[in-house]
Amino acid sequence: MSKPTILIIEDEKKIARVLELELEYEGYEVTKAHDGMEGLRLFREREWDLLLLDIMLPGLSGTDLLKRIRTGGGNTPVIMLTAKDAVDDKVTSLDLGANDYVTKPFDIEELLARVRVALRSHHTSPKEDGMQIADLIVNEKKHEAWRGDDLIELTAKEFSLLVYLLKNKRQVLNREQLLEGVWGYDYYGDTNIVDVYIRYLRNKMDKNYEPKLIHTVRGVGYVLKDPQ
């Protein structure tokens, strides 16, 4: 079983190093970044099980980085780390999608406990209240999609399209139906947008997996089904 992956984005190098050593001792795979832009780059390079994010960062603040992650549809658990203890900072972080908030200086045992809670919640949620076909599990409430043990990172629109296909699994849907169901009745753009997002979904959740679940019915549209 692979180790849970944790990305630490903390500009105080001594604190980052202490966190790294403690987390590695607990059996986690840890990577560090010391400014916001470097952290964003590392975050986008792979999937992470947890992000420990400082608010006061050079280059790009922790709250701005969190905003970019959540706007892009990312649902990686985030624990904010900061010397600030003002209520408005906590509220802002939680409103932006942080899962937890720890004020420095913090007790390392408490932080490790919060890490375990965040990881446990993240990995057990898709099996609960999830829609499923083959090894694809989608939890609409948690905004999570899994193929087997792999969490698939989707944008908000990609996720909405997948949910709509799954709710209508084994039914062939034409472009107009998909446009109305996902983009809304008032969408007046090019219907080719459906083909574009179907391609995005296939690249993320079908390309490297078997069986293939999204199928094209020539001259009609698309269907989500297990061919077996």
Side-chain angles (χ1 to χ4, degrees):
M1 185 175 180
S2 61
K3 297 179 179 180
T5 57
I6 298 178
L7 175 60
I8 301 169
I9 307 178
E10 165 64 67
D11 64 325
E12 295 186 50
K13 294 183 179 181
K14 289 183 179 180
I15 293 178
R17 180 57 176 162
V18 169
L19 289 172
E20 180 183 34
L21 291 173
E22 292 286 349
L23 291 167
E24 286 181 341
Y25 181 80
E26 294 294 318
Y28 303 117
E29 178 185 339
V30 181
T31 301
K32 304 192 305 294
H34 299 303
D35 67 71
M37 293 307 298
E38 179 192 11
L40 183 61
R41 177 184 62 79
L42 289 171
F43 177 82
R44 288 173 170 171
E45 285 183 353
R46 61 178 294 183
E47 294 179 359
W48 300 93
D49 293 304
L50 179 65
L51 176 60
L52 297 181
L53 178 61
D54 188 26
I55 284 186
M56 300 298 291
L57 291 169
L60 181 70
S61 73
T63 51
D64 285 339
L65 196 156
L66 177 60
K67 188 183 302 182
R68 293 193 188 191
I69 290 172
R70 294 301 189 235
T71 301
N75 55 9
T76 302
V78 176
I79 298 177
M80 303 300 290
L81 306 174
T82 182
K84 292 187 174 183
D85 59 0
V87 173
D88 58 340
D89 292 314
K90 296 180 181 180
V91 171
T92 297
S93 297
L94 294 172
D95 283 345
L96 288 174
N99 300 81
D100 204 349
Y101 190 108
V102 179
T103 302
K104 294 184 281 187
F106 47 79
D107 179 81
I108 191 64
E109 292 301 326
E110 178 186 354
L111 177 61
L112 291 174
R114 291 174 183 268
V115 166
R116 290 191 293 270
V117 169
L119 290 171
R120 185 164 58 246
S121 174
H122 185 54
H123 285 295
T124 59
S125 59
K127 312 303 179 185
E128 304 168 2
D129 302 321
M131 300 178 288
Q132 182 170 4
I133 185 169
D135 65 342
L136 170 68
I137 298 177
V138 175
N139 188 310
E140 193 172 4
K141 293 180 180 178
K142 295 289 186 178
H143 201 282
E144 292 182 357
W146 295 72
R147 286 290 313 246
D149 293 327
D150 296 333
L151 176 65
I152 310 299
E153 294 286 354
L154 301 174
T155 66
K157 191 60 68 179
E158 290 165 354
F159 187 81
S160 296
L161 177 57
L162 179 59
V163 167
Y164 191 79
L165 287 167
L166 190 51
K167 286 182 176 179
N168 295 278
K169 61 186 177 182
R170 304 185 186 92
Q171 298 181 42
V172 180
L173 302 169
N174 60 39
R175 290 178 180 82
E176 287 71 24
Q177 288 173 305
L178 291 169
L179 277 174
E180 291 178 0
V182 179
W183 280 266
Y185 290 96
D186 56 350
Y187 178 81
Y188 296 106
D190 195 335
T191 58
N192 286 339
I193 192 69
V194 172
D195 304 313
V196 171
Y197 274 84
I198 288 289
R199 185 169 71 251
Y200 291 162
L201 271 184
R202 279 176 164 157
N203 285 336
K204 291 185 177 182
M205 54 153 283
D206 255 1
K207 183 177 180 180
N208 298 315
Y209 300 92
E210 293 294 341
K212 307 303 181 190
L213 298 177
I214 300 177
H215 303 272
T216 302
V217 180
R218 294 192 180 278
V220 183
Y222 300 99
V223 58
L224 183 74
K225 66 177 182 178
D226 183 349
Q228 300 175 357

